[in-house]
Amino acid sequence: MAAVRVSSRSGLPSLLIYLGIGVAIGQDGIGVIFNDVGLTQVIGYAALVVILAEGGLGTKWKQIKPAVPAAAVLSTFGVAVSVGITATAAHYLAGMEWRQALIIGAVVSSTDAAAVFSVLRNVPLPSRLTGVLEAESGFNDAPVVILVVAFSTAGPVEHWYVLIGHIALELAIGAAIGLAVGFLGAYGLRHVALPASGLYPIAVMAIAFTAYAGGAIGHGSGFLAVYLASLVLGNAKLPHSPATRGFAEGLGWIAQIGMFVLLGLLVTPHELGDDILPAIVVGLVLTVVARPVSVFLSTAPFRTPWPEKALLSWAGLRGAVPIVLATIPMVASVPDSRRMFNIVFILVIVYTLVQGPTLPWLARHLKLRDAEAKDLGIESAPLERLRGHLLSMTIPESSRMHGVEVGELRLPSGAAVTLVVRDGTSFVPLPSTVLRRGDELLVVATDPVRDKAEQRLRAVGEGGKLAGWLGTTGGPGRGAAGAAVRKTPGAVGKPPTMGGKPASTGGKPPGSAAERSGGASAERDAKASGKPPGKAMGNMKRQ
């Protein structure tokens, strides 16, 4: 826990501290001797599955949806470019044979999901950049693992087009299995209420592991399967989803800590001296040549501005994944595999120390800041016997729900705000209660209108009280925003229309005090002028 706190303040990924703990415990420190490479690889794979699951559950689909094409190109074509450039540098500058050079190039070309998820979520980047980097780190593990295994297999690669076809087939199988398991699991969890809320996080993680197992057994990419399945589950509006994400985040921390300490145990510091210079040279080429070239070529079709390309180039963070992948040639008994492991270990340490702390500075220098509203984070708890749902949410600082009256939410009939917690005090709101930043709301909704209620809350949070009325953003339109409303006292009815369009009421919903006083005034004017009251009201609304 202290390591997490230190890393959050310094901007360094906590993996460095955990690796240091492992080294301190090892044979050059306390004296614990550990050299089981096979066990390290198995535990590393398992930890990577947990980390990818946690990353997928915490990634918003609307955030990465525009970034998927660019991320897909970066994790395939970009990886190939990076492998080629880095392997060439390892061969000519570090004096490695081509087979070892290709393995090194493949191993270090994968961005680390744990480092990206932990560092980038503390850096206020625009969502489009965060989406590209997170999706890339989730996608590129699969092709890199296939490349490392292929290069570590005895014998030369006879036909490159066969290798490329094999990679494409494994990715397709993994993607299909991951999406299928994710959608089936989400459907089951939404339609079968479990007897205890604590079972939902366990069930979600079990589904994620099932996706990995299915992908591996089906000769596909298990890593891509688990990430896509978790992405589907994380965006499926499951019961107790914030609690599930918190549980997965805790498991992710445990996986990172265990994996990094074990990798630190595996390394022997006194053997690293001769490999420091080759690691720095290869890492320098990777960081300032291979990564930028792969980013600029991969993003060329998407018209990405150059500041974003520069940040994407610098944010290709490495972490435990390359170190875990470096155990594959050791298990396969590739010549000089121990030296390759040492080079990868030194490269990760040195360039994580350089890139991690400087990333926020570079984002500020390039004027890439996140100014977007944060998601409401609505949590749903099913009430099976009562055929309803409890929705809990907190109004973020940048939400346009601030200043909106409860009655102006225009929730569908069957949904109501039943409790507000403000500054530690809870109270039952009136229709005229004005909501504020930081308020915690409890909304009760029946089964048929649960999705419409959440949709309406998100629309008001993004577009304000008029979302869905006058073409404002943040709402899906009057029909989807909930034209049918509560019939309780003070609730709001359907917006008055003229020619199929909502009439303006000066920012006040129909039925508000302003409109009632306007209606009374119009009626008095009608009596004075001799006109029917209904016609006078119509003239007032048109004006």
Side-chain angles (χ1 to χ4, degrees):
M1 301 302 103
V4 174
R5 186 60 177 170
V6 170
S7 67
S8 65
R9 285 184 172 272
S10 65
L12 292 173
S14 54
L15 68 93
L16 296 179
I17 301 176
Y18 302 136
L19 284 172
I21 293 173
V23 171
I25 296 174
Q27 58 182 355
D28 284 2
I30 295 177
V32 175
I33 299 176
F34 177 80
N35 54 14
D36 194 335
V37 180
L39 177 62
T40 303
Q41 182 179 329
V42 171
I43 294 179
Y45 274 31
L48 184 57
V49 170
V50 175
I51 292 168
L52 287 172
E54 186 267 327
L57 290 172
T59 300
K60 298 295 183 184
W61 172 245
K62 67 178 182 180
Q63 177 175 301
I64 73 164
K65 182 180 178 180
V68 167
V73 176
L74 268 173
S75 58
T76 51
F77 174 74
V79 164
V81 172
S82 180
V83 170
I85 296 175
T86 308
T88 302
H91 177 70
Y92 288 106
L93 300 180
M96 304 183 71
E97 295 182 0
W98 273 114
R99 183 184 181 189
Q100 285 80 1
L102 286 170
I103 293 175
I104 286 285
V107 165
V108 299
S109 293
S110 174
T111 55
D112 182 62
V116 170
F117 294 147
S118 61
V119 172
L120 291 186
R121 289 177 184 176
N122 295 323
V123 179
L125 295 178
S127 61
R128 61 184 178 276
L129 289 180
T130 304
V132 171
L133 289 167
E134 291 192 354
E136 180 199 7
S137 66
F139 293 161
N140 65 12
D141 289 336
V144 166
V145 169
I146 299 171
L147 284 176
V148 175
V149 172
F151 294 150
S152 300
T153 304
V157 178
E158 295 183 358
H159 302 291
W160 288 97
Y161 62 88
V162 175
L163 177 60
I164 295 173
H166 182 63
I167 293 174
L169 180 61
E170 287 202 17
L171 293 178
I173 294 174
I177 292 177
L179 292 174
V181 172
F183 281 114
L184 288 175
Y187 179 84
L189 288 177
R190 284 178 63 88
H191 290 81
V192 178
L194 299 178
S197 60
L199 294 176
Y200 283 92
I202 299 174
V204 168
M205 293 304 296
I207 294 170
F209 273 90
T210 301
Y212 174 80
I217 293 173
H219 300 287
S221 172
F223 293 120
L224 182 60
V226 68
Y227 182 73
L228 291 179
S230 302
L231 185 64
V232 172
L233 292 169
N235 290 272
K237 300 177 183 178
L238 299 180
H240 307 289
S241 55
T244 299
R245 287 194 296 270
F247 178 79
E249 188 176 3
L251 285 184
W253 278 114
I254 293 175
Q256 291 183 54
I257 293 170
M259 177 173 59
F260 296 154
V261 171
L262 202 60
L263 292 172
L265 272 171
L266 190 63
V267 74
T268 306
H270 72 262
E271 298 177 353
L272 301 178
D274 295 337
D275 300 319
I276 293 177
L277 183 58
I280 293 177
V281 171
V282 173
L284 186 63
V285 173
L286 171 69
T287 305
V288 303
V289 180
R291 173 69 181 181
V293 169
S294 66
V295 168
F296 274 73
L297 291 179
S298 300
T299 57
F302 305 103
R303 299 180 180 179
T304 305
W306 77 262
E308 296 185 7
K309 291 182 179 180
L311 189 68
L312 289 172
S313 301
W314 192 248
L317 302 175
R318 271 72 192 174
V321 171
I323 304 177
V324 172
L325 296 181
T327 63
I328 295 177
M330 296 177 70
V331 174
S333 300
V334 175
D336 288 336
S337 58
R338 187 73 195 189
R339 185 191 179 206
M340 289 187 284
F341 180 86
N342 292 340
I343 289 175
V344 172
F345 187 87
I346 297 170
L347 186 154
V348 168
I349 296 297
V350 171
Y351 288 95
T352 300
L353 282 170
V354 173
Q355 290 176 277
T358 57
L359 190 58
W361 172 85
L362 182 62
R364 290 194 300 270
H365 183 72
L366 295 175
K367 298 180 181 180
L368 295 173
R369 308 290 290 181
D370 183 14
E372 300 175 13
K374 293 186 177 179
D375 189 77
L376 287 177
I378 299 176
E379 179 175 1
S380 174
L383 305 173
E384 185 180 23
R385 291 173 54 196
L386 302 180
R387 301 179 184 275
H389 289 262
L390 292 176
L391 306 179
S392 62
M393 52 169 283
T394 302
I395 301 177
E397 288 292 325
S398 54
S399 174
R400 297 190 66 182
M401 195 177 290
H402 173 77
V404 176
E405 296 180 6
V406 171
E408 292 172 331
L409 293 176
R410 306 201 313 277
L411 293 176
S413 178
V417 180
T418 58
L419 194 70
V420 175
V421 180
R422 179 178 298 166
D423 298 328
T425 302
S426 58
F427 58 92
V428 177
L430 298 173
S432 59
T433 299
V434 178
L435 301 175
R436 301 296 181 194
R437 300 183 184 94
D439 284 356
E440 298 177 51
L441 274 59
L442 184 67
V443 179
V444 177
T446 58
D447 276 341
V449 301
R450 180 242 182 262
D451 290 340
K452 290 184 179 179
E454 180 174 344
Q455 187 181 48
R456 181 60 196 160
L457 290 170
R458 294 187 185 279
V460 176
E462 296 176 8
K465 68 178 73 176
L466 296 181
W469 271 28
L470 304 178
T472 55
T473 59
R478 187 170 69 91
V485 296
R486 293 173 290 156
K487 302 304 181 182
T488 53
V492 183
K494 293 183 180 180
T497 60
M498 285 208 49
K501 295 183 179 180
S504 173
T505 58
K508 293 290 182 181
S512 64
E515 184 174 307
R516 286 194 298 270
S517 62
S521 176
E523 189 171 356
R524 288 193 299 270
D525 294 342
K527 289 180 180 179
S529 61
K531 294 180 180 180
K535 192 165 185 177
M537 280 290 290
N539 292 333
M540 183 274 291
K541 288 180 181 177
R542 280 192 292 272
Q543 293 168 2

